[in-house]
Amino acid sequence: MAKRFLIDTNVLLDNPNIINTLDGEVIIHSIVCEEIDNIIHSDRSEDAKYRARQARNFIKSSNVVFNTRTPSFSLPMGWDYKNDNSILALCKDLDAMLCTNDLAMQIKADSIGVEWIEDKIFEHEETCGWKEVLMT
């Protein structure tokens, strides 16, 4: 069976091209599209909005599986079905590997037996912080 990857929002914002680099079926849950849309229409920085629009365009132009189903996996006691937890439950349902840079989500994935990978392709130095440049 081909490998399945369920992509979290933070990865798409950092590196939307991840869709084209994974070797297997790439799945985007409707929750991720909703989160991206919320960023586009928010008070967030123009950079965040730009990256969200870029991610949305990659999703639209790529060959991904768009999933809208409600997960059937029963989450551990005390967990609700908020966005991240629903994505984790769907990973269990579909036997998919989670692709996320979210440390808390990685810890939760470990606790319920969901495999995960981090995307290290995007270099955050380009968009975060500041850099002193000497101009002569």
Side-chain angles (χ1 to χ4, degrees):
M1 178 170 25
K3 193 73 175 165
R4 291 177 168 166
F5 298 93
L6 207 153
I7 311 299
D8 190 21
T9 308
N10 59 65
V11 171
L12 286 171
L13 294 176
D14 285 349
N15 179 21
N17 193 47
I18 189 75
I19 292 170
N20 299 320
T21 60
L22 293 170
D23 186 23
E25 181 181 34
V26 176
I27 303 165
I28 306 290
H29 194 279
S30 57
I31 290 171
V32 171
C33 289
E34 190 67 28
E35 287 180 343
I36 288 170
D37 195 47
N38 288 341
I39 293 168
I40 291 169
H41 301 326
S42 72
D43 296 352
R44 306 242 335 239
S45 71
E46 288 305 313
D47 178 59
K49 291 178 183 183
Y50 170 77
R51 291 187 298 129
R53 287 190 304 273
Q54 198 175 30
R56 181 186 59 190
N57 292 340
F58 260 88
I59 292 168
K60 187 173 189 285
S61 67
S62 299
N63 187 24
V64 299
V65 175
F66 186 70
N67 191 301
T68 59
R69 81 180 238 196
T70 302
S72 61
F73 175 76
S74 294
L75 291 170
M77 192 167 74
W79 290 25
D80 56 23
Y81 281 90
K82 288 186 178 172
N83 293 356
D84 286 354
N85 295 343
S86 291
I87 290 170
L88 286 166
L90 189 62
C91 285
K92 287 295 279 188
D93 285 353
L94 301 176
D95 192 28
M97 181 178 285
L98 175 65
C99 186
T100 186
N101 295 330
D102 182 336
L103 181 60
M105 203 165 175
Q106 292 168 0
I107 292 168
K108 288 180 178 182
D110 284 339
S111 74
I112 61 170
V114 170
E115 283 186 82
W116 57 268
I117 57 171
E118 272 183 303
D119 171 46
K120 293 291 188 184
I121 297 169
F122 184 77
E123 292 295 328
H124 294 279
E125 294 172 7
E126 298 172 13
T127 59
C128 297
W130 59 275
K131 181 176 182 179
E132 188 173 335
V133 178
L134 177 63
M135 298 180 67
T136 57

